[in-house]
Amino acid sequence: MEQRDLKLQMRGCLLGCVVAVLFWSVATAQRYSIAEEVNKGTVVGNVAKDLGLDRSTLRNRKYRVVSSDADPYFRVNPNDEEVCEQSTSCVMNLKTVLENPLEVHYVEVEILDVNDHSPTFPGKDNILEISESALPGARFQLKPSQDPDSGPLSVQQYKLSQNDHFRLEVKEKRGVGKIPTLVVQKALDRERAGSHSLIMTALDGGKPPKSGTVNILVNVLDVNDNAPVFSEEMYSVTLKENAQIGTIVIQVNATDPDEGTNGDIVYSFSQSMQQKLLNLFNMNELTGEITVKDSIDYEENDEFEIEIQASDKGFAPLTTEKSVFIKIVDVNDNVPEIEVTSFSSSIPEDSRPGTTVALISVNDLDSGLNGKVNCNVNSDVPFILTPSLKDKTFSLVTKSPLDRERQSQYDLTIIAKDSGTPQLSSEKTINVVVSDINDNSPEFSLSPYTFYVPEGNNPGASVFSVRASDRDENDNARISYHVKRDGQDNNFILSFLNINSETGDIVSLKSFDFETMKTFQFQVVATDSGTPPLSNNVTVNVFILDQNDNAPVILYPLSSNGSAEGVEEIPRNVNAGHLVTKVRAYDADIGYNGWLLFSLQEVTDHSLFGLDRYTGQIRTLRSFTETDEAEHKLVILVKDNGNVSLSATATVIVKLVEPKEAFAASDVKSATKVEEEDNVTFYLMITLGSVSVLFLISIIVLIAMQCSKSTDYTSKYLQETNYDGTLCHSIQYRSGDKRYMLVGPRMSIGSTIVPGSHANTLVLPDRRRASEEVRHGGNCCFGEISIRKYCTFCFKCSVNVV
């Protein structure tokens, strides 16, 4: 496009030069010739010289161009070749005028064409459809090419690429030019070539000539000119007698090189086929499969000849016929028959090897080797087939002991095989059930059982249960439970235990009291309902868990009427830190439930007296003055450390006396204190004696348990997550200038272990004094029993009872 615009500009400049020359023309006509696409400023001719005009008079005489198809600058149509289209001669006529006197002169400028365009075709491809039945000489007109050049520079000839089936003819048509025509020169065959790809070239008359090409695709249309052809010259096949209906005898195949319906093939039997053969065989008209339609017997016919045909679906169908020979082969076509003549579907698991389960008979309709039958049973069962005296009869017997608990039934597959070729066989499956006998005792899920029961349980509620199972079935597996009573001392404990004979749930008829009984042991017997019944027993160890069910008991002060109230007289001149008295208390619970803390609930003057929360000692905080009252009342609250604390209160009346009076009263009070100390010593002896006896019993039980259970069992019931092996510790604390040690559990819920350099520090919760520091002094126990988070017994412990 840019080249065409450039040529237009050049052509306009050329005509402008011609106009400039015309100003020097004379009154006669003059003709000039110039080629297109010359450069601007090219000299066309000397008009003044050629027309004989006086150049000096041209301006005064107003020489000008007056032609209707040109302006003063001789502008031309910018559409390039369209100025003269494809005319042989392209002439531009100009008329010029001179005045004084009036003269008219004509100038003709002929623009000569150059070969600046190549032939082009309308479209890249030209597609033709020609039937293969087209005869040689058939003609098909093609679209001509276009060339903007004119005359001999336009399209002059057409050429066709080398091929055997087509040639080109070119005709001249007025106003259009040369028209190409495709001519068939050799018959087409779609089956050999379904299409032909040609290239047509157009050349103009330039030197050298320019050319253009177009692709011509000729699609050959099919006609039904080929009959179906079978893939084989002769079809022969063998077929076993008694072939099943639907068996494919043979599949024939025919092809037709035509396309569409002309190449679609249908198969059928020939019209000459006998009706007997039509009853025996069937043909699929689409696939060419010949199948068995009815039973075939070798003894009746040993071969068949079938006439078949293949036809296409053309408008005038073409047909080809062929024969198929079928040879029938005699085969071993009778399978052995298995019959169970006598059968016991159930057999006891204690049956001896060799016990007969069933009698089996076999039969084969064939003769000779085809009728000789061997029989056996699958090898993965405890049964075997043994031949009997009668021919073709077998006995199914046991070959090894049976165990119903290992396998309760067997699916026996009896296999009978003849000796024919090919060998035929048949199978029959029978189900043998192994009946149960009572040969298994009940088995408990655990042995021994260990249960932990908190004291104070609800009477009548199930506290624990035992479970046993029996591998037998029905009545042989129906289990009943009862508690074994052997006449020993613990029968009184069993008197308030009841066991559900069907479920094994054990119910306590009364509440357990840890302070009365720490642990006990009994045996449960599980018995099945078989004949004779079998039984098994298991030991049940029960540990009672302590609950905080005992309130602290005030041992001192204790007045004569039994109330926790006492009077203490001290001299008025005592110094700070003087021991006024010590409140003593006792709690029957253990561990934290028995760990007592003391606190002042009521005091007349908080600045005078202080109470040690761990020892119960009451001391003076300062010296007395004259203004202090002579009598002070102190109410002390004693509470244990259980989750729900229980408490008791004691009242101490402190009287201030003069030193002489106090000395006189000391003799009287010393006698009283001796008596009180005796009472305290008595209680302490009872307590330590009880603890020692209970601990000894627990050690014996523990040793028995350790000897009767595995390591896994011990770890299951005695160890806890993150447990470090320490069941009981001696807890030391300091109050004033004295050190105390209290036996208690490892830690309470909510306590925090803070690692130290030589020992662990137990930081108590906020309810304890934050400034106090309690330290574990290490293991105090040589042996102990752990029940959940409680330390029940300690061996060889140094205990200071507070």
Side-chain angles (χ1 to χ4, degrees):
M1 198 69 183
E2 294 178 355
Q3 184 179 3
R4 169 178 270 186
D5 294 340
L6 180 59
K7 290 194 292 184
L8 288 175
Q9 294 175 4
M10 293 172 62
R11 189 171 298 175
C13 293
L14 176 62
L15 294 179
C17 295
V18 173
V19 172
V21 175
L22 289 178
F23 281 104
W24 305 97
S25 299
V26 294
T28 58
Q30 186 63 36
R31 184 182 181 90
Y32 296 98
S33 297
I34 187 171
E36 65 173 335
E37 298 185 1
V38 297
N39 295 329
K40 181 177 180 181
T42 302
V43 177
V44 179
N46 193 331
V47 178
K49 179 179 178 182
D50 295 336
L51 295 180
L53 298 177
D54 187 0
R55 295 177 60 184
S56 62
T57 60
L58 293 179
R59 183 181 300 275
N60 295 330
R61 296 182 64 183
K62 299 180 181 180
Y63 184 71
R64 63 186 182 277
V65 178
V66 295
S67 177
S68 59
D69 59 351
D71 59 14
Y73 298 98
F74 200 68
R75 187 171 58 227
V76 298
N77 193 323
N79 291 328
D80 199 8
E81 302 293 342
E82 294 181 2
V83 174
C84 300
E85 297 183 352
Q86 291 185 343
S87 300
T88 304
S89 176
C90 182
V91 179
M92 303 297 295
N93 295 314
L94 303 174
K95 183 169 65 176
T96 62
V97 178
L98 286 170
E99 295 180 0
N100 298 320
L102 179 62
E103 294 182 11
V104 178
H105 299 278
Y106 296 92
V107 178
E108 294 179 356
V109 179
E110 180 181 10
I111 301 175
L112 302 178
D113 189 22
V114 296
N115 190 21
D116 56 347
H117 293 86
S118 298
T120 59
F121 288 92
K124 295 181 180 180
D125 298 317
N126 195 353
I127 300 176
L128 298 177
E129 292 185 347
I130 302 176
S131 174
E132 66 175 328
S133 62
L135 299 176
R139 305 165 64 84
F140 303 90
Q141 183 173 312
L142 304 175
K143 293 182 179 179
S145 67
Q146 303 293 328
D147 193 333
D149 295 327
S150 61
L153 299 180
S154 62
V155 177
Q156 298 299 314
Q157 60 176 326
Y158 291 92
K159 292 182 180 181
L160 191 64
S161 59
Q162 182 66 35
N163 68 95
D164 296 333
H165 294 84
F166 301 95
R167 61 183 175 85
L168 273 182
E169 287 186 0
V170 181
K171 290 185 177 181
E172 185 77 27
K173 187 175 182 180
R174 174 175 292 228
V176 178
K178 292 178 172 57
I179 305 299
T181 301
L182 187 66
V183 179
V184 178
Q185 66 178 7
K186 183 180 178 180
L188 303 176
D189 188 354
R190 190 205 62 81
E191 288 71 35
R192 291 187 178 181
S195 63
H196 299 271
S197 181
L198 309 174
I199 298 176
M200 184 174 65
T201 305
L203 295 95
D204 60 17
K207 294 182 181 180
K210 295 182 179 295
S211 64
T213 60
V214 65
N215 294 325
I216 300 176
L217 179 63
V218 179
N219 292 324
V220 182
L221 303 180
D222 183 54
V223 295
N224 191 20
D225 57 347
N226 292 279
V229 177
F230 282 96
S231 59
E232 297 184 12
E233 291 294 329
M234 181 182 66
Y235 289 99
S236 179
V237 67
T238 58
L239 178 66
K240 297 178 181 179
E241 67 168 330
N242 293 337
Q244 294 183 356
I245 296 175
T247 300
I248 298 175
V249 179
I250 192 174
Q251 182 177 12
V252 297
N253 183 43
T255 57
D256 191 323
D258 295 326
E259 70 175 1
T261 57
N262 296 332
D264 293 339
I265 297 176
V266 292
Y267 302 92
S268 62
F269 290 123
S270 175
Q271 298 295 327
S272 61
M273 279 276 291
Q274 297 179 1
Q275 186 61 40
K276 180 180 179 180
L277 296 179
L278 294 176
N279 293 335
L280 292 177
F281 300 99
N282 190 21
M283 171 166 274
N284 189 314
E285 65 176 7
L286 298 179
T287 64
E289 292 179 347
I290 299 176
T291 56
V292 177
K293 188 177 181 181
D294 202 353
S295 60
I296 299 173
D297 192 355
Y298 172 82
E299 287 69 27
E300 293 183 6
N301 294 97
D302 60 353
E303 66 177 4
F304 299 95
E305 181 180 357
I306 301 176
E307 294 291 333
I308 61 173
Q309 62 183 19
S311 304
D312 59 29
K313 296 181 180 180
F315 181 74
L318 301 178
T319 302
T320 303
E321 294 186 350
K322 188 70 66 176
S323 295
V324 178
F325 295 93
I326 302 175
K327 184 178 181 180
I328 306 302
V329 179
D330 187 22
V331 296
N332 183 21
D333 55 350
N334 291 286
V335 298
E337 297 178 356
I338 302 173
E339 182 182 0
V340 180
T341 58
S342 178
F343 175 55
S344 297
S345 59
S346 178
I347 180 173
E349 63 177 321
D350 60 347
S351 299
R352 294 181 179 180
T355 303
T356 300
V357 179
L359 294 178
I360 309 298
S361 63
V362 294
N363 188 30
D364 195 319
L365 298 178
D366 296 323
S367 60
L369 292 177
N370 294 336
K372 186 177 181 180
V373 180
N374 294 319
C375 194
N376 55 65
V377 69
N378 47 321
S379 60
D380 58 343
V381 294
F383 299 90
I384 191 173
L385 279 175
T386 59
S388 299
L389 296 177
K390 187 178 178 181
D391 187 27
K392 297 183 180 181
T393 303
F394 301 87
S395 297
L396 180 64
V397 298
T398 59
K399 68 176 180 180
S400 60
L402 304 176
D403 187 357
R404 189 207 64 84
E405 287 71 38
R406 180 176 298 177
Q407 187 167 348
S408 61
Q409 62 179 355
Y410 295 90
D411 291 326
L412 305 180
T413 302
I414 300 171
I415 304 171
K417 297 181 180 180
D418 62 23
S419 301
T421 304
Q423 190 178 55
L424 296 181
S425 64
S426 60
E427 296 181 357
K428 189 176 186 66
T429 301
I430 60 176
N431 182 265
V432 177
V433 177
V434 181
S435 59
D436 183 51
I437 63 170
N438 193 23
D439 58 346
N440 290 277
S441 301
E443 295 180 358
F444 285 93
S445 58
L446 296 174
S447 181
Y449 280 95
T450 300
F451 298 104
Y452 303 95
V453 182
E455 65 173 332
N457 58 296
N458 295 326
S462 176
V463 288
F464 44 81
S465 62
V466 296
R467 292 289 184 271
S469 60
D470 196 316
R471 297 176 62 194
D472 296 321
E473 65 178 359
N474 299 329
D475 288 342
N476 295 333
R478 188 174 295 111
I479 299 174
S480 61
Y481 303 90
H482 70 274
V483 177
K484 184 178 180 181
R485 303 179 186 274
D486 52 8
Q488 296 181 359
D489 295 338
N490 65 340
N491 281 342
F492 78 96
I493 301 174
L494 304 181
S495 63
F496 56 82
L497 291 179
N498 186 25
I499 186 169
N500 189 314
S501 62
E502 295 181 355
T503 64
D505 293 336
I506 299 176
V507 176
S508 175
L509 303 179
K510 60 179 292 186
S511 297
F512 295 111
D513 186 5
F514 175 81
E515 287 71 33
T516 303
M517 178 175 55
K518 304 293 188 295
T519 179
F520 63 92
Q521 183 184 84
F522 63 96
Q523 287 189 330
V524 176
V525 180
T527 306
D528 61 27
S529 302
T531 304
L534 301 178
S535 62
N536 197 358
N537 58 1
V538 68
T539 299
V540 179
N541 297 310
V542 181
F543 293 93
I544 309 302
L545 301 180
D546 181 41
Q547 302 294 311
N548 191 23
D549 58 346
N550 291 280
V553 177
I554 305 297
L555 300 179
Y556 180 83
L558 191 63
S559 63
S560 59
N561 59 1
S563 62
E565 183 176 357
V567 177
E568 296 290 338
E569 294 181 351
I570 61 173
R572 183 179 287 274
N573 62 347
V574 296
N575 297 324
H578 176 74
L579 177 62
V580 178
T581 187
K582 179 178 180 181
V583 178
R584 293 181 176 87
Y586 166 76
D587 195 319
D589 296 320
I590 67 169
Y592 279 116
N593 296 330
W595 187 358
L596 302 180
L597 297 176
F598 302 84
S599 63
L600 278 173
Q601 290 294 103
E602 182 180 343
V603 62
T604 55
D605 191 344
H606 288 280
S607 65
L608 282 177
F609 302 98
L611 174 67
D612 191 298
R613 65 179 307 181
Y614 298 109
T615 64
Q617 292 180 351
I618 302 174
R619 294 180 179 273
T620 58
L621 298 178
R622 61 178 176 81
S623 300
F624 294 99
T625 63
E626 294 297 332
T627 60
D628 292 330
E629 296 180 1
E631 182 175 319
H632 299 271
K633 180 180 180 182
L634 284 74
V635 179
I636 294 92
L637 175 67
V638 183
K639 65 177 181 178
D640 57 28
N641 205 38
N643 287 333
V644 179
S645 297
L646 302 179
S647 61
T649 58
T651 303
V652 175
I653 305 298
V654 180
K655 293 183 178 180
L656 303 181
V657 297
E658 296 302 326
K660 294 181 179 180
E661 297 177 1
F663 179 77
S666 62
D667 294 336
V668 178
K669 294 185 65 176
S670 62
T672 304
K673 284 192 176 183
V674 168
E675 183 179 357
E676 291 177 353
E677 293 292 342
D678 292 339
N679 293 334
V680 172
T681 303
F682 175 72
Y683 287 126
L684 290 178
M685 292 176 62
I686 293 177
T687 302
L688 293 176
S690 300
V691 170
S692 299
V693 171
L694 292 176
F695 175 70
L696 182 61
I697 295 174
S698 301
I699 290 298
I700 296 173
V701 173
L702 178 62
I703 294 174
M705 291 174 58
Q706 294 293 336
C707 294
S708 62
K709 59 188 175 181
S710 63
T711 305
D712 294 340
Y713 179 83
T714 303
S715 63
K716 179 177 180 182
Y717 286 93
L718 294 183
Q719 293 186 3
E720 298 181 8
T721 305
N722 301 325
Y723 182 65
D724 59 2
T726 302
L727 298 178
C728 183
H729 297 272
S730 61
I731 302 175
Q732 300 182 12
Y733 61 91
R734 183 183 299 276
S735 177
D737 57 351
K738 293 185 179 181
R739 176 175 296 180
Y740 296 87
M741 179 173 66
L742 177 66
V743 176
R746 285 178 60 236
M747 64 176 66
S748 64
I749 300 174
S751 301
T752 304
I753 296 299
V754 181
S757 59
H758 301 289
N760 291 330
T761 300
L762 177 64
V763 181
L764 300 177
D766 292 338
R767 59 179 179 173
R768 297 176 175 82
R769 198 182 318 168
S771 61
E772 295 290 346
E773 188 176 74
V774 181
R775 295 183 177 271
H776 285 277
N779 297 340
C780 74
C781 299
F782 176 79
E784 62 276 330
I785 297 176
S786 175
I787 303 177
R788 295 183 183 173
K789 290 186 177 295
Y790 297 89
C791 179
T792 307
F793 305 109
C794 292
F795 181 56
K796 294 183 178 179
C797 297
S798 297
V799 181
N800 290 336
V801 178
V802 181

